[in-house]
Amino acid sequence: MRSALRTGMTLTVIVLLFMAFNLVWVNKLPDIRWDFTQQKMHTLSVPQRQFLGSLQAPLDLYYFNANSDPQRNYALKRYGKRIEDLLKEYEKAAKGMINLHLIDPAPFSEDAYRARLFGLDDKSGFIGLIGTRAGHSAQRIESFSLDREPLLDYEISHLIYKLQHPERPTVGLLSGLAMKESAARLLKELQQHFNLAKLESTTERIPEQVKTLMVVHPRALPERTLYAIEQFVLKGGKLMVFIDPISERSPDTKAANARLDELLAAWGIQMPANKWLVDSLYTPLETPGAEKNGAHHPGRLNLPRQAMNTRDISTWRLNGVTVSSSGALSRRSKSRTTFTPLLQSSEQSELLEVEGFAGATALDSLIDDTPIQGKRHVIAARIEGPGYSAFPDGIKGHPPGLQKAAQIHVVVVADTDLLMDQVSRLAPDNNALFVLNTLDSLSALDALASIHPRAQMQASPTVLEAMRSAAEQVYRMKASELERRLQRTEQEWQLLSPQTTVLGTQTVDATTQLQALNKERLRLPMELHALRVEAYASVHRLELAIKLVVTYTIPLALCLAAWMVFLDQRRRRTAFH
């Protein structure tokens, strides 16, 4: 009896001590978390902690996450939870400067009304962020997207940065082209987002207040101005420069002077001044009358999302960019700078001589005699790393300046026409957004600029995926000519058979030329289908084999097991008798 009482009292004391520990001491223990992901996806980087530690004014962040919305899939639910965890880490690292509010807005609730009032998107249920700071305008992220997951850290940090630094940064504009009328739309956007300082084309010194510079068509600028641009970069200035083998706004400009080539070489890159880029995959389809309004041009490329570096800030929220008669950039063999492609052509592209540009009217006539090498060409790139002077002896009237810099920040775009209204209107908002994104990232303080997108783990392609990719490449190589012929045939047929109002029955037009075009319209799709079947034959065989294995393996295994059991039972009965 005494032993049982002692045991009961001991257990009671242990329970009381356990409860007291949980009530008093658990909250005082350090919050320890382990991040076992290879990319440390749930751990703030050192630049992030430094950025959050430098906040000067308190902020309120309102995270709207309609996790119970029926439109939301499992992947988006997990992503919403990851965003919540990341925001909590931000709040903790900010040491009282961020006050986080987690809101799950129910349909037709006051929270949902507030989210819509601030402009959040609810196509898949609210999953957005609103940031406020006393005395300043609110900032928002309309909707977080899985497509932009590598940029998640930057998106949130950018919102906080804008709340802390609401003033517009100063960006200098130095152009060798007249942009007032030809690029009016872009100039309006630049003036809305930046304090735009327009510099004369004969500028010999970049003003001190300009920390970020946008240069357009430097081949038309004098040597003194090129020297000023170089010294600006070596002093730590950020530069976005647009160069072009053929500027449609200034087609008579002579080839780039040697100094510009030397300047590019000092940054570790090169661009052939006598080559321009065509791409049979990204060239928009011809439509009747397109030539009249400039919508079609053999050198005009509509670059989709697949042509972009989706891990770079310049392509943030970007769906497409349109370029025209662009050049191609490449890294010099002994360059020490980092060359990061931002925009690239497809593998169905080729560089052609500039001399053939003037008479170019159709893509076919340009590339029929040019073998496609299956190589992607870089249209825009980010250059970072050590830079050197292309003017070691200075220039006339100026002593030698800085000779090198440990770190330069330059974005080079091998096209100037994408800035012009005639081209940019074919990709509404996209061309301007590419420029704004890039200038915004260049003009940001180092605390934000040092927050880089996280590298995502890329799963190795399976055998089937590799075969599909190879089959698609083979098909594209063979089908491009047939697709162009089909396109021409459709255009000719539309010209000979215009749309008319039909009254009752209609007479069949039996003219020889129209009948021939009709036969061609039927034959070419059949040939394209046959090409696709041929290219994907091995893929389809493997898919069929996999389906057969998956479909029949388990039934056959069960049948085999049942047969073995049957044989065993029969053997036992035979042995018994």
Side-chain angles (χ1 to χ4, degrees):
M1 181 69 181
R2 186 178 298 176
S3 176
L5 181 61
R6 187 183 298 114
T7 302
M9 292 179 64
T10 302
L11 291 174
T12 303
V13 170
I14 291 174
V15 170
L16 290 174
L17 288 174
F18 178 75
M19 293 176 63
F21 177 81
N22 279 277
L23 290 172
V24 178
W25 293 103
V26 165
N27 292 331
K28 297 182 179 181
L29 292 176
D31 185 10
I32 301 174
R33 300 177 65 193
W34 286 275
D35 186 355
F36 293 104
T37 59
Q38 186 172 353
Q39 302 298 321
K40 300 299 179 184
M41 302 297 292
H42 305 286
T43 303
L44 298 184
S45 64
V46 173
Q48 283 174 289
R49 294 188 179 278
Q50 292 175 346
F51 169 69
L52 294 170
S54 66
L55 300 183
Q56 300 297 321
L59 311 172
D60 285 281
L61 297 182
Y62 299 87
Y63 176 48
F64 290 81
N65 181 20
N67 202 41
S68 57
D69 192 285
Q71 303 178 62
R72 182 159 301 181
N73 56 35
Y74 177 70
L76 197 55
K77 286 183 179 180
R78 288 192 60 186
Y79 188 45
K81 183 63 171 67
R82 188 198 157 194
I83 296 170
E84 179 181 325
D85 292 340
L86 182 60
L87 288 171
K88 289 179 180 178
E89 289 294 312
Y90 268 60
E91 182 183 31
K92 186 170 65 174
K95 299 178 181 178
M97 286 296 179
I98 292 179
N99 186 20
L100 178 62
H101 307 266
L102 302 176
I103 302 171
D104 185 357
F108 307 106
S109 65
E110 185 177 345
D111 289 332
Y113 173 78
R114 185 183 180 190
R116 289 192 181 92
L117 195 64
F118 276 94
L120 298 190
D121 185 7
D122 65 338
K123 291 180 181 178
S124 299
F126 291 108
I127 181 171
L129 185 66
I130 297 171
T132 62
R133 176 187 170 189
H136 294 82
S137 300
Q139 297 285 331
R140 72 167 184 249
I141 297 175
E142 296 177 6
S143 177
F144 291 101
S145 172
L146 280 167
D147 295 336
R148 302 194 305 270
E149 186 175 3
L151 300 175
L152 175 61
D153 299 60
Y154 185 86
E155 277 191 284
I156 298 173
S157 301
H158 184 269
L159 180 141
I160 296 172
Y161 175 82
K162 287 298 183 183
L163 290 171
Q164 290 287 316
H165 304 276
E167 64 279 357
R168 293 183 300 174
T170 298
V171 172
L173 175 61
L174 183 56
S175 178
L177 298 174
M179 298 179 62
K180 186 174 182 180
E181 295 182 359
S182 59
R185 180 177 180 179
L186 175 67
L187 291 177
K188 183 179 179 181
E189 293 280 358
L190 291 173
Q191 290 168 348
Q192 182 179 349
H193 292 84
F194 305 102
N195 290 324
L196 193 63
K198 297 181 182 179
L199 308 179
E200 295 294 332
S201 59
T202 56
T203 296
E204 297 185 9
R205 185 174 178 274
I206 308 301
E208 291 294 332
Q209 68 269 22
V210 174
K211 305 299 181 183
T212 305
L213 182 63
M214 174 177 165
V215 177
V216 181
H217 203 47
R219 73 171 60 186
L221 299 176
E223 185 180 43
R224 291 177 180 272
T225 305
L226 290 180
Y227 179 68
I229 294 170
E230 181 214 63
Q231 290 298 301
F232 168 80
V233 171
L234 294 179
K235 289 177 182 177
K238 312 290 182 65
L239 174 67
M240 185 179 191
V241 58
F242 297 83
I243 57 179
D244 206 333
I246 305 172
S247 174
E248 295 176 21
R249 298 298 305 174
S250 182
D252 298 329
T253 303
K254 295 181 180 180
N257 58 59
R259 283 298 197 183
L260 180 57
D261 289 337
E262 293 172 12
L263 186 57
L264 295 177
W267 296 337
I269 62 172
Q270 58 189 0
M271 185 197 79
N274 61 339
K275 299 281 188 179
W276 64 295
L277 187 64
V278 293
D279 191 322
S280 60
L281 183 61
Y282 293 156
T283 300
L285 295 177
E286 296 182 40
T287 55
E291 293 82 357
K292 296 180 181 179
N293 56 28
H296 177 76
H297 186 283
R300 193 151 294 169
L301 310 181
N302 291 341
L303 304 178
R305 189 74 178 161
Q306 294 80 3
M308 305 176 192
N309 182 350
T310 56
R311 292 188 59 252
D312 192 272
I313 309 304
S314 61
T315 63
W316 188 17
R317 301 174 182 270
L318 199 59
N319 295 317
V321 173
T322 299
V323 299
S324 186
S325 59
S326 68
L329 304 170
S330 59
R331 184 175 182 269
R332 294 179 67 87
S333 58
K334 296 183 179 180
S335 171
R336 296 177 59 192
T337 53
T338 302
F339 182 83
T340 305
L342 304 180
L343 302 175
Q344 297 185 80
S345 69
S346 74
E347 294 180 346
Q348 307 297 316
S349 61
E350 189 55 61
L351 289 173
L352 304 179
E353 295 291 337
V354 168
E355 286 74 12
F357 176 80
T361 57
L363 185 64
D364 305 41
S365 61
L366 290 170
I367 66 174
D368 278 345
D369 299 327
T370 306
I372 300 296
Q373 298 178 355
K375 175 185 175 182
R376 301 185 73 183
H377 295 87
V378 178
I379 299 172
R382 189 182 294 272
I383 314 299
E384 295 179 326
Y388 301 89
S389 175
F391 302 84
D393 301 323
I395 59 173
K396 186 177 180 180
H398 291 270
L402 292 177
Q403 298 298 305
K404 62 180 180 179
Q407 186 76 5
I408 63 172
H409 300 274
V410 178
V411 173
V412 184
V413 184
D415 186 42
T416 60
D417 301 308
L418 69 88
L419 306 174
M420 306 306 163
D421 292 344
Q422 184 179 8
V423 175
S424 63
R425 66 183 174 82
L426 302 176
D429 302 326
N430 285 329
N431 283 15
L433 184 58
F434 171 69
V435 177
L436 293 174
N437 280 344
T438 307
L439 289 176
D440 184 68
S441 66
L442 290 173
S443 61
L445 297 179
D446 292 340
L448 177 64
S450 60
I451 299 176
H452 298 293
R454 292 182 183 266
Q456 286 186 306
M457 287 293 293
Q458 298 291 335
S460 300
T462 62
V463 174
L464 191 58
E465 289 173 344
M467 290 179 65
R468 284 175 180 155
S469 178
E472 180 65 21
Q473 185 174 350
V474 170
Y475 170 74
R476 282 293 169 195
M477 293 285 286
K478 295 181 178 179
S480 56
E481 172 60 24
L482 288 177
E483 287 175 343
R484 291 197 299 272
R485 285 169 54 189
L486 179 60
Q487 183 181 323
R488 289 199 305 269
T489 302
E490 287 288 349
Q491 292 172 3
E492 293 176 11
W493 183 84
Q494 289 178 16
L495 291 174
L496 292 176
S497 181
Q499 293 291 331
T500 57
T501 302
V502 178
L503 180 63
T505 59
Q506 188 178 12
T507 304
V508 176
D509 193 333
T511 58
T512 304
Q513 187 176 2
L514 196 60
Q515 287 296 319
L517 288 174
N518 274 329
K519 291 179 181 178
E520 192 78 352
R521 291 174 67 218
L522 294 173
R523 183 182 63 82
L524 289 174
M526 294 172 65
E527 289 190 17
L528 285 170
H529 175 70
L531 270 180
R532 181 173 287 276
V533 171
E534 179 185 354
Y536 280 84
S538 58
V539 177
H540 292 157
R541 284 196 295 269
L542 181 58
E543 288 177 336
L544 179 60
I546 292 174
K547 289 178 182 177
L548 291 175
V549 170
V550 171
T551 304
Y552 294 107
T553 297
I554 294 178
L556 287 175
L558 291 175
C559 290
L560 181 61
W563 178 251
M564 292 178 66
V565 170
F566 170 74
L567 291 178
D568 183 65
Q569 292 290 338
R570 190 172 67 173
R571 181 181 59 79
R572 290 184 179 184
R573 285 197 299 269
T574 304
F576 179 76
H577 292 294

